[in-house]
Amino acid sequence: MRQTISALCVLSSLVAFTVVARADQPPHAIPAPAVDNPLTAGKAETATLAGGCYWGMQELFEHVKGVKRVVAGFSGAAEAPPDAGGMAGSGSMAGAGGMAGASGMAGANGMAGASGMAGASGMAAANGTAANGTAGSKAAPAEAVQITFDPGQISYGQILHIYFSAAHDPTQRDRQTPDVGAEYRSNIFYADEQQQQIAEAYIAQLTKAHAYASEIVTLVTPLQQFNRVPEAQQDYYLKHPDLPYIVQVDGPRMAAFRTLFTDMYVAKPAKH
């Protein structure tokens, strides 16, 4: 197992290095949602989002003003995936040589990755239906975070603004460089009809504005279940701040967030 972990760390460093050029590009500023809820004091709400490895997603959103709690886990299936506690964010990476993790590469703690999950063959459109007519990505559990926030300080639309601007690349289908597989897809899991309307309207707005050079492939699907991963995987960036993947892949995304949303950044992270 030590050899497996050691080899994975080396691969992490090499793969992360290949994406630094992309990650260091100027942050992508996009319009804020035209359709959104007004800031209104009241009961805490939740947003469940998937956008690649949950390590970086949890790190970024724990530093957002108005966010009270961010939990890492899996969503998108009726049950938690096998070995959910061991499927690390960097466990299914595709390097420059084309090594695909979705075939079962070991995760960061040595446990098998997402064996059996649909890859690029399970393509899905932004409206939550599969582009090729199959269940595809929608049927596979995705690495996700569940964000509890104060609607008096931050709106659901503002959370999506950060999600689309800095947290991930919504034009990558069934992957999030350097991770490959349906579990790393871009997916919004709405809790109610209002969240669905805001998400779908925002994607339509960004598409019409040609905010990205490529098509937005983010799925918008109902939240059925969210499965929290074990404590060892929570706040992984705090426990392993010097891990090459954390530094070279997640670091630039956090930097982009701080550049684009200076008034929304808080130094002390929210608890999970």
Side-chain angles (χ1 to χ4, degrees):
M1 183 174 289
R2 283 185 182 177
Q3 290 180 341
T4 301
I5 295 173
S6 191
L8 179 60
C9 288
V10 172
L11 179 60
S12 255
S13 300
L14 293 174
V15 175
F17 183 78
T18 66
V19 298
V20 167
R22 288 186 59 175
D24 284 347
Q25 295 292 324
H28 190 184
I30 60 173
V35 177
D36 195 7
N37 293 326
L39 295 180
T40 307
K43 184 173 146 184
E45 298 178 13
T46 60
T48 306
L49 306 172
C53 172
Y54 49 57
W55 292 349
M57 289 278 285
Q58 185 176 38
E59 175 183 12
L60 193 153
F61 282 104
E62 282 188 343
H63 288 275
V64 175
K65 179 182 177 182
V67 168
K68 302 302 181 185
R69 186 171 182 245
V70 184
V71 179
F74 284 87
S75 190
E79 298 179 0
D83 298 329
M87 291 171 60
S90 57
S92 295
M93 299 184 297
M99 288 183 286
S103 61
M105 181 178 289
N109 63 357
M111 297 184 72
S115 58
M117 289 186 179
S121 61
M123 297 178 181
N127 63 0
T129 58
N132 62 359
T134 62
S137 302
K138 192 169 62 169
E143 291 205 13
V145 290
Q146 191 158 78
I147 304 159
T148 301
F149 63 97
D150 178 353
Q153 296 187 62
I154 186 170
S155 68
Y156 184 70
Q158 287 176 311
I159 287 176
L160 294 186
H161 191 196
I162 294 169
Y163 171 70
F164 280 107
S165 300
H168 83 309
D169 180 352
T171 68
Q172 294 192 39
R173 193 189 300 277
D174 286 341
R175 64 176 294 146
Q176 199 66 211
T177 302
D179 302 310
V180 178
E183 67 272 29
Y184 300 109
R185 68 184 178 273
S186 176
N187 202 148
I188 297 170
F189 299 95
Y190 59 85
D192 54 37
E193 187 176 338
Q194 194 168 54
Q195 287 191 354
Q196 179 185 13
Q197 291 174 350
I198 292 171
E200 290 179 345
Y202 193 30
I203 291 174
Q205 175 189 342
L206 294 177
T207 298
K208 185 177 180 180
H210 302 288
Y212 302 91
S214 302
E215 175 192 7
I216 296 173
V217 296
T218 304
L219 289 166
V220 179
T221 54
L223 175 65
Q224 296 181 341
Q225 187 168 343
F226 179 81
N227 299 288
R228 175 189 178 118
V229 293
E231 188 62 29
Q233 288 292 318
Q234 302 292 339
D235 284 340
Y236 205 80
Y237 73 99
L238 288 176
K239 298 167 183 171
H240 308 279
D242 298 323
L243 188 73
Y245 185 99
I246 300 292
V247 174
Q248 299 181 36
V249 177
D250 295 335
R253 292 170 186 163
M254 176 58 77
F257 163 61
R258 295 185 65 173
T259 298
L260 292 170
F261 301 92
T262 54
D263 60 334
M264 297 300 292
Y265 171 80
V266 291
K268 184 177 180 180
K271 296 181 179 179
H272 65 272

